[in-house]
Amino acid sequence: MKGKNNAMSRIGTDCVHGGYTPKNGEPRQIPIIQSTTFKYDSSEDMGRLFDLEASGYFYSRLQNPTNDYVAARICALEGGSAAMLTASGQAANFFAVFNLCGAGDHVVCSSAIYGGTYNLFNVTMRKMGIDFTFVTPDCPDETLKAAFRPNTKAVFGETISNPSLAVLDLERFAKAAHDHGVPIIIDNTFPTPVNCRPIEWGVDIVTHSTTKYMDGHASGVGGALVDAGRFDWFAHAAKFPGLTTPDESYHGLVYAERFGLGGAFITKATAQLMRDFGAAPSPHNSYLVGLGLESLQVRMERHCKNAQAVAEFLEKHERIAWVNYCGLPANRYYALARKLMPNGSCGVISFGVRGGRAAAEVFMKALRVAIIATHVADARTCVLHPANATHRQLSEDALISAGVPGDLVRLSVGIEDAADIIEDLDQALFFVR
Ligand SMILES: *Cc1c(COP(=O)(O)O)cnc(C)c1O
């Protein structure tokens, strides 16, 4: 879906109005078009849609109006040229990479990424013949440069990594990608466009797990891809034949020619990947994402304010071994975070409880406000021990390289009253000996 009203200026306004402008007498709220199919008067009309010669809806696996309104809102928020929704964040990251790569290709990837993404890349996509070189976000320039190969097709990273909370130097990684003639894909789930707009730092493709702050209420799993529309596929035509040579499944159409730099990437991902893999979101789930987006700016402000207060409390607590939050001046990413995210980063903090794994478990059991959940980034404060949950499949070495030591507790600070969250942590820490 092309971003229609990028002209709207400020982020809080786009959260509420972006992507959907009802005409006279039309529904005020984004309508849920809960229909698999769309009716046409003639098969010629329908044929033109199938051939991508006309734009319109015919089957909700490929496109649906509700999904497109919400995609256009996210597109406006990120300042992109086109966007699409997927059924999950996993599908969004898979599509982003697989839209550029095939068997025999290679991707340079930050090692500090979500466990599910690491598994997707390092296990499943390797089985498809795509190779990955992982570099730490803080690696020297020479190491980053040395990771590229002639068959490298993309760079991938997370603005703020889940759960290790490393902040990626977007400008440095974007420059390395562009120096090697490839685009950079950034998963911007944690800061959201309210706190960081990667496209403004040179990023080409932005992905999201909308499951997190965008939905904001733990109500639906979803994902999104946004294209900045700036990467010149023709300047590196030999690397990206999928965008610059004819697609025989659409009568020899060339995506970058027909849809331009602004539309090629998302149209290809819709026409090929959504068509073939079918990771389409339900219109009802997309509606919930749209609803969540309306309050995104207000919620992010509160998440960040609460997280800052909680991080400062934990940092001073005698039973806490260490705290990782880029809003703390002692944090190694403080300066970079101030530059990329001057209004705040996200509501997720990680820390170690004195006494390691066992102590962390005692502490977590005693919590009352914060609940144990395999989730982050919704209105309710929740807590997780990644080494026992999301990162279970990782070896000890991979855990260290992903920045997730065994004693790490991930705390997603919600939008409750900060004083209640802090009191809860304090009473639970009392049980740690
Ligand atoms: C949760 C998450 C994902 C995966 O998204 P799902 O919606 O769970 O499929 C990808 N990246 C990041 C940074 C995440 O936090």
Side-chain angles (χ1 to χ4, degrees):
M1 182 68 180
K2 283 246 166 105
K4 280 195 182 125
N5 49 355
N6 293 4
M8 286 261 189
S9 46
R10 294 176 183 81
I11 206 92
T13 307
D14 275 343
C15 282
V16 180
H17 294 286
Y20 179 65
T21 315
K23 297 191 205 69
N24 200 32
E26 286 185 351
R28 185 66 201 89
Q29 182 53 276
I30 292 177
I32 305 174
I33 310 293
Q34 194 72 45
S35 182
T36 55
T37 43
F38 299 81
K39 179 248 170 197
Y40 288 93
D41 289 339
S42 74
S43 15
E44 294 85 71
D45 286 349
M46 184 80 99
R48 276 193 287 279
L49 298 177
F50 269 95
D51 287 347
L52 304 181
E53 278 167 12
S55 72
Y57 298 98
F58 54 98
Y59 192 52
S60 284
R61 166 151 43 78
L62 282 108
Q63 276 187 294
N64 169 282
T66 309
N67 298 350
D68 277 358
Y69 289 136
V70 177
R73 179 166 294 171
I74 294 172
C75 191
L77 290 171
E78 287 288 5
S81 68
M84 69 193 284
L85 299 189
T86 55
S88 65
Q90 286 297 106
N93 283 329
F94 173 63
F95 279 18
V97 175
F98 200 66
N99 208 32
L100 299 171
C101 299
D105 289 338
H106 170 257
V107 176
V108 174
C109 188
S110 164
S111 60
I113 54 171
Y114 176 63
T117 310
Y118 182 78
N119 210 62
L120 166 68
F121 291 172
N122 196 48
V123 179
T124 302
M125 290 187 79
R126 273 194 207 280
K127 287 184 193 160
M128 302 170 122
I130 299 169
D131 203 1
F132 293 81
T133 297
F134 293 94
V135 295
T136 61
D138 310 312
C139 69
D141 281 336
E142 308 80 71
T143 310
L144 180 54
K145 220 171 140 183
F148 287 84
R149 301 180 194 162
N151 59 340
T152 301
K153 297 297 167 74
V155 172
F156 185 97
E158 293 177 4
T159 315
I160 301 175
S161 62
N162 176 10
S164 60
L165 304 178
V167 179
L168 194 72
D169 189 337
L170 300 181
E171 277 185 310
R172 184 167 84 100
F173 273 66
K175 185 177 182 307
H178 298 155
D179 284 350
H180 293 84
V182 301
I184 177 166
I185 304 163
I186 290 293
D187 182 332
N188 196 39
T189 297
F190 267 23
T192 83
V194 166
N195 285 334
C196 181
R197 307 213 313 165
I199 289 173
E200 291 173 358
W201 301 100
V203 168
D204 302 292
I205 292 139
V206 177
T207 62
H208 281 279
S209 166
T210 62
T211 315
K212 313 294 162 54
Y213 289 116
M214 285 194 169
D215 173 287
H217 303 79
S219 63
V221 172
L225 290 94
V226 183
D227 180 16
R230 279 191 310 230
F231 192 83
D232 189 350
W233 308 109
F234 283 119
H236 309 281
K239 276 190 200 291
F240 304 104
L243 287 143
T244 59
T245 63
D247 178 353
E248 293 314 329
S249 66
Y250 288 103
H251 308 303
L253 153 168
V254 176
Y255 289 98
E257 219 167 71
R258 176 78 69 81
F259 302 101
L261 298 188
F265 183 86
I266 293 294
T267 307
K268 178 179 180 288
T270 303
Q272 294 178 343
L273 304 185
M274 206 50 112
R275 178 194 63 189
D276 297 350
F277 292 101
S282 91
H284 185 261
N285 275 12
S286 300
Y287 168 81
L288 291 171
V289 175
L291 205 55
L293 289 171
E294 291 185 13
S295 60
L296 183 65
Q297 194 225 17
V298 178
R299 286 186 288 107
M300 288 312 289
E301 225 174 86
R302 173 77 166 219
H303 279 292
C304 292
K305 195 165 157 243
N306 282 359
Q308 186 68 32
V310 169
E312 286 169 14
F313 161 79
L314 290 172
E315 194 181 34
K316 290 191 209 102
H317 204 289
E318 69 203 8
R319 287 172 190 168
I320 295 293
W322 54 268
V323 182
N324 184 11
Y325 186 64
C326 64
L328 295 174
N331 188 273
R332 68 188 296 184
Y333 298 111
Y334 180 75
L336 181 60
R338 292 290 299 172
K339 178 179 135 184
L340 297 177
M341 299 169 278
N343 299 323
S345 54
C346 68
V348 185
I349 295 172
S350 64
F351 56 90
V353 178
R354 279 197 201 286
R357 255 180 209 239
E361 271 159 35
V362 170
F363 159 74
M364 284 171 61
K365 246 186 221 153
L367 289 166
R368 292 172 194 153
V369 175
I371 52 160
I372 298 176
T374 311
H375 201 246
V376 281
D378 75 71
R380 287 158 288 258
T381 296
C382 57
V383 71
L384 181 82
H385 189 202
N388 267 331
T390 45
H391 283 58
R392 263 190 113 79
Q393 278 94 355
L394 271 65
S395 66
E396 284 297 323
D397 280 353
L399 278 176
I400 298 299
S401 122
V404 188
D407 69 338
L408 184 149
V409 174
R410 181 181 72 183
L411 177 70
S412 175
V413 180
I415 58 174
E416 303 94 338
D417 286 292
D420 285 328
I421 303 168
I422 290 171
E423 269 175 33
D424 187 35
L425 296 170
D426 200 26
Q427 67 80 22
L429 284 167
F430 176 79
F431 295 94
V432 176
R433 301 277 155 191

